[in-house]
Amino acid sequence: MMNQKQYISRKKIFGIPFPLLKTTSLSKNEVIIPKTFSSHTTVLYLAGPNSNQTDLDSWSASIRKRFENEQVKHLEVLFISDQSKKDQIIDQLKKDIANEFHDMIAIADQPFEELKKTLLLVDPKDIFVFVLDEFGKVIFSAQGPADEFRLYRINKAIFNSLVTDQEKLKVIGAKSKLKKKVAFVGSINNISTHLVSELVERNSIQEIQLLLSKPSQFHHVKIFEQIVNQDDFKLINTINNYEEVILFDLDYKTLEAYIEKINTCNIENIKVISCDLEKISENQKKSIESKFEPLNLQWINHYVFLGQKSEHFLDYLKKLFLFAISPFLFGKFKHFKPITPKKFADKII
């Protein structure tokens, strides 16, 4: 008897906002998901770099035929291993595929690995199908080739999305003060690792969104991770109405650009953490505060940490000296008092 392939449960990602995915269609148009298809029910067919066309067609041919109206948008996204060959691949596909499908097929501008954790893209040999509602949230997902039962389920999900008026069903109430959603923006190092771990441990934190430049090693039900660079940060729509954003160790220009986006997201509290004395000057802080005056900006600075290996012997001596005089470091000098990353994280959460 042949062993049937087992698929992991995808219910974990039901209800999450679909992360930013930039693609280029065969028509050479930029398609940004979910932004391009906002206000529509959308079916995405993500093809891993080692997947096959037969599995892809088992979904798309059937679903496109059943839902041909303008209310449902369809997009096949092909992940490739070498981005330098993207234009060459697009030109070849355009020759082989009828013009009417050129806006329905796109090449991902991002590597498969960047979305692997967030969307449970566990196998590059597979097809991954997603249905997004009009707000860009995942309401259905499946992995592998279609079968009769899964086609029934996806058809039902699409139909329900089309006939359900979410505005009428929406219940508006006061935000819970017991649990909050926190977004973390920055890089993962020894200090921020403790910070994220502390966020995970806190019962008062409901959800943690990590906005990083490369995938992290974190795996937890509370964590929703997106890979996004500075230029694309303005395109994300997943931090709206979060209670808090932590901006970790960013330089002045990056910090200013990120706060400009955050200013449009109805966020109550912004913590700006600086662990590098040279990245943000006092004048630059005042400039940001003046530019974004209504925002609640909380500046948290600390520059000396215990338990980290010093790159130079002189740095080690400085740390040793500061540790010796730490009882006398007050006021503006308290930021130089040596502290462990864990204790620092505990203090600022």
Side-chain angles (χ1 to χ4, degrees):
M1 183 176 175
M2 291 181 63
N3 291 328
Q4 190 172 6
K5 186 171 182 177
Q6 298 295 311
Y7 298 109
I8 64 172
S9 172
R10 307 190 63 77
K11 290 184 179 179
K12 175 190 172 184
I13 58 176
F14 285 20
I16 71 165
F18 196 88
L20 176 70
L21 174 58
K22 296 176 70 177
T23 70
T24 304
S25 72
L26 298 192
S27 305
K28 295 289 182 78
N29 295 319
E30 184 180 56
V31 182
I32 300 172
I33 304 166
K35 182 181 178 181
T36 301
F37 301 123
S38 60
S39 303
H40 291 88
T41 297
T42 306
V43 187
L44 300 174
Y45 315 86
L46 306 190
N50 301 325
S51 60
N52 66 73
Q53 188 66 40
T54 304
D55 289 352
L56 179 58
D57 290 342
S58 70
W59 289 100
S60 60
S62 172
I63 298 168
R64 280 205 308 259
K65 186 175 180 180
R66 178 158 185 175
F67 297 98
E68 293 181 306
N69 58 59
E70 283 297 312
Q71 289 179 288
V72 180
K73 300 296 182 182
H74 303 266
L75 187 69
E76 297 179 12
V77 180
L78 314 179
F79 286 90
I80 58 176
S81 301
D82 187 352
Q83 282 291 320
S84 66
K85 296 180 179 178
K86 184 177 73 173
D87 289 338
Q88 181 183 339
I89 292 171
I90 288 176
D91 291 339
Q92 183 59 50
L93 289 173
K94 285 176 73 173
K95 294 177 184 177
D96 300 335
I97 297 171
N99 290 345
E100 61 184 294
F101 298 114
H102 286 186
D103 288 327
M104 297 183 189
I105 301 172
I107 303 295
D109 295 340
Q110 297 162 232
F112 184 78
E113 287 71 23
E114 286 191 0
L115 294 161
K116 191 172 182 177
K117 189 195 312 184
T118 305
L119 294 176
L120 301 181
L121 308 183
V122 293
D123 193 339
K125 296 178 182 178
D126 271 332
I127 301 297
F128 300 87
V129 182
F130 297 85
V131 180
L132 312 185
D133 67 11
E134 59 188 295
F135 301 108
K137 291 190 175 181
V138 178
I139 58 173
F140 176 87
S141 179
Q143 171 192 355
D147 56 35
E148 188 175 342
F149 176 65
R150 293 203 285 178
L151 284 173
Y152 165 77
R153 287 182 60 214
I154 193 172
N155 287 332
K156 188 175 180 181
I158 297 169
F159 176 78
N160 288 342
S161 179
L162 292 174
V163 300
T164 302
D165 187 340
Q166 295 198 42
E167 288 298 325
K168 285 185 178 180
L169 296 177
K170 188 184 292 185
V171 177
I172 301 175
K175 282 188 177 181
S176 170
K177 299 299 179 183
L178 300 176
K179 301 268 188 179
K180 64 180 180 180
K181 296 181 179 181
V182 178
F184 172 92
V185 185
S187 58
I188 298 297
N189 59 20
N190 184 42
I191 300 165
S192 56
T193 294
H194 283 89
L195 183 56
V196 174
S197 298
E198 191 64 33
L199 288 169
V200 169
E201 291 297 320
R202 292 294 175 99
N203 291 329
S204 59
I205 308 296
Q206 174 185 339
E207 182 179 299
I208 306 143
Q209 184 172 166
L210 303 181
L211 296 158
L212 311 172
S213 59
K214 59 183 180 180
S216 75
Q217 298 298 314
F218 288 106
H219 293 273
H220 195 275
V221 68
K222 284 186 180 181
I223 292 177
F224 169 63
E225 183 175 299
Q226 283 201 79
I227 309 304
V228 60
N229 59 40
Q230 181 180 338
D231 293 335
D232 294 336
F233 188 80
K234 61 182 179 292
L235 300 174
I236 67 166
N237 65 345
T238 54
I239 60 172
N240 295 339
N241 298 311
Y242 265 53
E243 284 77 24
E244 183 173 298
V245 171
I246 296 173
L247 299 169
F248 180 78
D249 219 20
L250 304 174
D251 60 57
Y252 172 68
K253 285 188 176 180
T254 305
L255 184 62
E256 187 177 39
Y258 283 13
I259 292 178
E260 191 163 359
K261 165 64 180 179
I262 292 167
N263 193 30
T264 67
C265 296
N266 191 29
I267 291 170
E268 297 174 1
N269 190 33
I270 302 170
K271 291 180 179 177
V272 184
I273 299 174
S274 179
C275 300
D276 188 334
L277 191 60
E278 298 179 358
K279 281 189 176 178
I280 304 286
S281 69
E282 289 301 318
N283 287 336
Q284 288 172 333
K285 287 180 185 178
K286 290 176 182 177
S287 173
I288 288 175
E289 286 175 344
S290 175
K291 184 174 181 179
F292 304 102
E293 191 173 353
L295 287 179
N296 180 19
L297 293 172
Q298 182 182 352
W299 300 91
I300 302 169
N301 308 319
H302 210 91
Y303 306 117
V304 183
F305 294 91
L306 297 172
Q308 288 186 291
K309 188 176 180 180
S310 301
E311 293 184 9
H312 305 287
F313 183 65
L314 186 59
D315 293 333
Y316 171 75
L317 291 178
K318 286 179 182 177
K319 193 180 293 186
L320 201 62
F321 172 72
L322 289 168
F323 183 74
I325 66 169
S326 60
F328 308 102
L329 296 175
F330 297 103
K332 63 181 181 180
F333 298 108
K334 67 181 180 180
H335 308 308
F336 297 93
K337 186 179 290 189
I339 189 174
T340 63
K342 188 176 188 324
K343 193 171 182 180
F344 175 68
D346 186 57
K347 284 178 65 175
I348 65 176
I349 298 300

